[in-house]
Amino acid sequence: MSAPSLLWRGAALVLLLLFITAPQLFAFAFEPLTVNGAPAIYNQGSLLSLTLSHLRIVFLATLASTILALGLGIFVTRPSGREFLPLSRSLVNIGQTFPPVAVLAIAVPLVGFGEKPTFIALFLYGLLPIFENTLTGLMEVSPQTLDAAKGMGMNPRQRLFQVELPLALPVILAGIRLSVIISLGTATIGSTVAAKGLGEVIIAGLQSNNVAFVLQGGLVVALLAVLIHDGLGMAERRVSAKLGRAADEVS
Amino acid sequence: MIEIEHLSKRYAETIVVDDVSLRMDEGTITVVVGTSGAGKSTLLRMINRLVEPSEGRVLIDGQDTMAIPEDQLRHRIGYVIQGYGLFPHRNVAENIATVPRLLGWDKRQIAARVDELLDLFQLDPAEFANKFPHELSGGQQQRVGVARALAAKPAVLLMDEPFGALDPVIRSKAQDDLVAIQRRLGTTVVLVTHDMNEAFQLGDRIAVMDQARLLQYATPAELLTRPAEAFVEQLVGTAERPFRLLSLLKVREAIEPGPAEGEPVSVTDTLRDALSRLIWTGREALPVADASGALVGRVSVKGIVAHGRSAP
Ligand SMILES: Nc1ncnc2c1ncn2[C@@H]1O[C@H](COP(=O)(O)OP(=O)(O)O)[C@@H](O)[C@H]1O
Ligand SMILES: [Mg+2]
């Protein structure tokens, strides 16, 4: 990554940290957006704790999606699981075509308000990119490489862990990154069912007609997305450079 | 020693290898040659059980390969394929260390073996050990592929078109290197190719396959002078026969007594090379020198030509 772009990322990180820890410092920038002396900075809770809750649920949901999608992707590319490939593909795709709001609406009566329905929605939404990329990554491993691995006496387990997964890793990481980014945005709707997160700031802004609040919630989510996207992208480039592939081949 | 007994492979209705029997002696190079689709790779892959035979069996040093767990069998048999299949995520040293690591050798032993092999294949360890496959030329990748196959000192080395991806100059050097290394280590090599020149250059014995069948299994000279079928004769190339025959024989075998003028040829040169020198220099005969440089007789155009005829 070039020096100026690194500088931009650094500046974005500092801005984000400063804003969520001491938002009052930025009141001057948001005041012009308020009317009738409404507060310029969100005052119904700590931005820091909302950000942490937001990240926590995104992290947990992505972790769960990764475990299931990766496991499923590995299973359906083994000889014993190959017949389930079409079925698992359509199931995961259905998960994706269901709107998140509908998932919430169905989940709330079943598991109640709070983090649980949000977790379910994020989890379902995170599956597809990771699953598809796991399949792509594993199926792209050259048959020659696999033939050589088998010919040298690697058993199926050794082939998976020593050859297939390391070679598929950049593509799998790209899937995880996509999934995290989708979840960061989607998690804001969790606040409609009382999950703690940055959606609260946006909703509070919409309810009180306060554009400054809406903008603050959106800004923090956007900065998080940019920074996490970059961080994971850097990890992918590291892995794929070692494989002698151009990074753009991966994403 | 590898004994192949009545080996067949069938995929549904099609027969890909049809009742092939062969014996490959220890420390020799056997080349399996034939046109594409003849069943060569399938035959080779039945030796290390990458393909399960439909019928017949393979014995290595008298032991039925079916009696050995397949991974263990493959640890003991080197395997090189066209394109080499090097692991892109592992550097040269790690690639070469693959089988020793699977076998659980200790670290120091592995490192020593890797260095030894890099030296053997003329790759400077300091320069190459940490390079990744994509940073190597085709010829270097090929050498790493063979080094990797030899890492755990297998008695048997299987090679499927190992030179197919190399350009002609590098290929010829790689072929010479293979023979030199094979002679030094005493490995039993089975090599598959569709290139008749390669078969003649490398094979102690040549197995000719066509349409799943083994047509002939013989020494290069026998293949030339007594082809079993019209197809073998055609594959060997009628116009090439005398020259192929001459390149199989050494000057040693055509020495005549008496002196001759000119730069001497060596007893270990092939008759083909000697004839080429005779034609080029316009002489009827040249002196012959032994390894120490002492003159031991002469070799003549007439004498060489007599060795290029079908029946002695
Ligand atoms: N797994 C397989 N299933 C069906 N047919 C196969 C399979 N493997 C090889 N064949 C067929 O067997 C024949 C011989 O293949 P192969 O041994 O690779 O030939 P060669 O190495 O001499 O070119 C070919 O016609 C090929 O299509
Ligand atoms: Mg083949």
Side-chain angles (χ1 to χ4, degrees):
Chain A
M1 195 180 283
S2 65
S5 67
L6 214 58
L7 213 66
W8 273 112
R9 271 29 168 227
L13 182 63
V14 171
L15 184 70
L16 176 67
L17 291 176
L18 216 55
F19 189 74
I20 58 179
T21 47
Q24 289 306 332
L25 290 177
F26 298 85
F28 70 93
F30 289 97
E31 253 152 20
L33 299 170
T34 58
V35 286
N36 306 332
I41 296 297
Y42 183 66
N43 57 357
Q44 297 162 30
S46 135
L47 272 182
L48 177 63
S49 95
L50 288 179
T51 305
L52 291 178
S53 309
H54 197 94
L55 285 176
R56 189 172 145 266
I57 193 160
V58 167
F59 173 78
L60 289 177
T62 308
L63 185 69
S65 318
T66 303
I67 291 169
L68 183 67
L70 196 62
L72 200 60
I74 290 170
F75 174 65
V76 299
T77 49
R78 302 304 98 185
S80 56
R82 212 168 281 269
E83 54 183 313
F84 297 103
L85 179 58
L87 178 70
S88 55
R89 264 204 158 126
S90 22
L91 278 180
V92 172
N93 270 306
I94 289 171
Q96 196 78 5
T97 49
F98 234 72
V101 177
V103 176
L104 289 183
I106 293 171
V108 168
L110 297 176
V111 297
F113 283 92
E115 290 206 328
K116 279 185 198 153
T118 314
F119 176 87
I120 292 172
L122 296 188
F123 165 72
L124 288 177
Y125 273 78
L127 284 176
L128 184 74
I130 304 176
F131 179 66
E132 282 294 338
N133 279 36
T134 302
L135 287 185
T136 310
L138 289 174
M139 297 203 287
E140 264 179 3
V141 176
S142 123
Q144 267 177 358
T145 306
L146 285 179
D147 190 44
K150 204 171 169 188
M152 280 186 293
M154 284 191 181
N155 62 33
R157 200 187 162 80
Q158 290 165 332
R159 290 202 293 276
L160 175 65
F161 286 102
Q162 296 183 29
V163 180
E164 298 181 70
L165 285 177
L167 287 175
L169 189 61
V171 188
I172 296 173
L173 283 177
I176 294 176
R177 178 174 54 144
L178 196 58
S179 166
V180 169
I181 300 310
I182 295 174
S183 286
L184 273 172
T186 312
T188 52
I189 64 160
S191 306
T192 58
V193 295
K196 272 178 73 69
L198 291 163
E200 274 182 30
V201 183
I202 297 171
I203 289 168
L206 292 173
Q207 281 169 349
S208 61
N209 223 344
N210 186 338
V211 183
F213 285 10
V214 177
L215 213 63
Q216 281 158 42
L219 189 72
V220 175
V221 173
L223 280 174
L224 282 175
V226 168
L227 287 167
I228 291 175
H229 185 270
D230 272 4
L232 293 175
M234 230 138 72
E236 278 161 47
R237 277 192 295 276
R238 277 265 260 290
V239 179
S240 43
K242 210 173 121 177
L243 299 180
R245 285 196 219 149
D248 53 14
E249 249 177 82
V250 168
S251 44
Chain B
M1 188 172 63
I2 307 171
E3 290 160 285
I4 291 175
E5 296 179 347
H6 302 290
L7 208 54
S8 295
K9 180 65 191 179
R10 235 175 253 108
Y11 287 111
E13 289 304 290
T14 44
I15 185 134
V16 175
V17 171
D18 188 0
D19 192 19
V20 169
S21 298
L22 283 174
R23 214 185 83 169
M24 292 125 174
D25 287 326
E26 199 166 325
T28 62
I29 300 183
T30 299
V31 177
V32 181
V33 70
T35 48
S36 162
K40 309 181 294 291
S41 297
T42 307
L43 178 67
L44 189 80
R45 291 160 64 85
M46 283 195 280
I47 297 176
N48 64 359
R49 289 178 54 195
L50 283 173
V51 172
E52 293 292 329
S54 308
E55 273 149 49
R57 58 179 196 162
V58 177
L59 308 177
I60 295 182
D61 294 331
Q63 193 181 14
D64 191 333
T65 51
M66 286 314 238
I68 310 168
E70 57 180 5
D71 296 329
Q72 271 176 42
L73 175 73
R74 292 177 197 143
H75 294 155
R76 288 167 35 185
I77 300 179
Y79 183 54
V80 181
I81 51 175
Q82 179 166 14
Y84 328 119
L86 297 179
F87 299 135
H89 60 300
R90 292 188 172 173
N91 66 26
V92 167
E94 291 165 338
N95 263 287
I96 294 176
T98 304
V99 181
R101 256 169 59 177
L102 292 174
L103 293 173
W105 291 16
D106 79 59
K107 273 208 170 89
R108 239 171 316 137
Q109 204 183 355
I110 293 178
R113 181 66 181 149
V114 168
D115 280 356
E116 186 185 354
L117 282 161
L118 285 171
D119 280 334
L120 184 65
F121 285 88
Q122 298 156 39
L123 295 164
D124 177 14
E127 185 183 349
F128 288 98
N130 296 318
K131 284 202 168 167
F132 283 87
H134 69 96
E135 299 172 302
L136 303 177
S137 72
Q140 290 160 352
Q141 288 182 16
Q142 198 268 343
R143 281 181 273 165
V144 173
V146 183
R148 181 175 70 172
L150 292 174
K153 309 188 176 174
V156 173
L157 177 61
L158 307 180
M159 309 181 93
D160 197 343
E161 313 244 3
F163 307 113
L166 299 179
D167 60 60
V169 177
I170 296 173
R171 183 186 308 160
S172 155
K173 162 105 169 64
Q175 289 166 340
D176 292 344
D177 289 350
L178 175 71
V179 175
I181 287 168
Q182 184 271 339
R183 298 291 185 237
R184 197 159 134 189
L185 303 178
T187 316
T188 308
V189 174
V190 185
L191 184 147
V192 160
T193 181
H194 60 264
D195 177 354
M196 211 25 141
N197 287 324
E198 187 163 283
F200 275 97
Q201 190 178 341
L202 300 176
D204 293 311
R205 291 179 79 92
I206 299 176
V208 182
M209 282 188 78
D210 186 46
Q211 295 177 8
R213 286 190 315 127
L214 175 67
L215 300 187
Q216 187 168 12
Y217 180 47
T219 63
E222 271 180 288
L223 221 56
L224 289 165
T225 51
R226 287 192 289 279
E229 291 188 24
F231 180 81
V232 177
E233 200 171 342
Q234 186 193 334
L235 207 63
V236 166
T238 2
E240 297 286 326
R241 274 186 305 192
F243 303 107
R244 287 202 201 281
L245 208 48
L246 291 181
S247 50
L248 293 171
L249 299 170
K250 304 283 188 221
V251 166
R252 173 184 305 121
E253 287 156 273
I255 298 182
E256 304 159 17
E261 293 284 307
E263 177 103 359
V265 293
S266 158
V267 285
T268 56
D269 286 346
T270 66
L271 287 183
R272 182 183 182 141
D273 291 341
L275 181 63
S276 151
R277 285 269 304 284
L278 283 160
I279 295 171
W280 195 248
T281 55
R283 294 177 194 276
E284 279 300 310
L286 282 170
V288 177
D290 66 13
S292 67
L295 295 183
V296 292
R298 58 180 215 148
V299 66
S300 68
V301 173
K302 244 180 144 161
I304 293 177
V305 168
H307 279 88
R309 297 199 180 117
S310 68

